[in-house]
Amino acid sequence: MLTTPTIQQMLNETPLFAGCSPDALVAIAQIAVERDCKRGEVVYSAGSEAVDMFILVRGMVSFTTDTGVGTLNVETLMKRHMVFGWAALVPEHPRRLGSAKCLEDSKLLVINGDALLDVLAAHPQSGFVVMKRLCSMIASTFIEKKR
């Protein structure tokens, strides 16, 4: 089991949360829940409600989307400390755009989107940084898909 200081350090090594205040990182670490996934386990499926976001601690996760617009099909392999499932940070919980599946036994940190938004609201400077980076992540996701 990961300790709060270990999770805090891991969050600070994750591009989305790097540089957040120590207090914000502790608060985020305290709402993070560990999840062990077996090889082949589906973390979430396209169309499901986006309630939680994830950070890959160990293992390998594949994200696949099929837009239904001809042949556009994107697959991304997640690496250590990558954030995925960011749609949980969009108000009103949109549906998942794709599916995430473990390609090997993996450990994830699961963070509830509403709880994280509450933490970010309580730490507005860190919240601004995270949401600005989130916008960049979303934009780059869609720019990469068009190529």
Side-chain angles (χ1 to χ4, degrees):
M1 182 160 187
L2 299 171
T3 64
T4 298
T6 300
I7 296 171
Q8 179 183 1
Q9 180 181 347
M10 188 180 310
L11 291 169
N12 202 35
E13 294 170 359
T14 302
L16 185 63
F17 299 110
C20 285
S21 73
D23 289 344
L25 292 172
V26 167
I28 297 166
Q30 290 173 337
I31 62 170
V33 177
E34 289 179 63
R35 176 175 166 189
D36 291 313
C37 298
K38 296 290 183 193
R39 180 179 184 208
E41 185 175 335
V42 174
V43 179
Y44 58 79
S45 298
S48 62
E49 188 176 16
V51 176
D52 298 314
M53 63 169 288
F54 305 87
I55 299 172
L56 182 60
V57 176
R58 171 177 41 78
M60 190 180 307
V61 174
S62 170
F63 177 80
T64 307
T65 183
D66 184 357
T67 63
V69 183
T71 59
L72 185 59
N73 188 336
V74 175
E75 181 172 13
T76 304
L77 293 181
M78 303 294 168
K79 299 175 185 167
R80 185 172 178 260
H81 294 182
M82 278 188 83
V83 172
F84 63 103
W86 49 257
L89 294 179
V90 177
E92 320 273 311
H93 301 297
R95 299 287 172 182
R96 299 284 185 194
L97 300 175
S99 299
K101 180 180 178 180
C102 293
L103 298 180
E104 62 187 34
D105 290 353
S106 301
K107 180 181 284 292
L108 310 174
L109 286 180
V110 182
I111 303 173
N112 177 273
D114 286 339
L116 179 55
L117 289 173
D118 289 344
V119 168
L120 297 177
H123 301 273
Q125 285 183 316
S126 293
F128 177 74
V129 169
V130 169
M131 296 311 278
K132 195 165 99 172
R133 290 179 183 158
L134 178 66
C135 289
S136 293
M137 284 176 56
I138 293 169
S140 68
T141 297
F142 290 107
I143 289 169
E144 288 174 16
K145 284 184 182 180
K146 286 187 171 188
R147 291 182 185 173

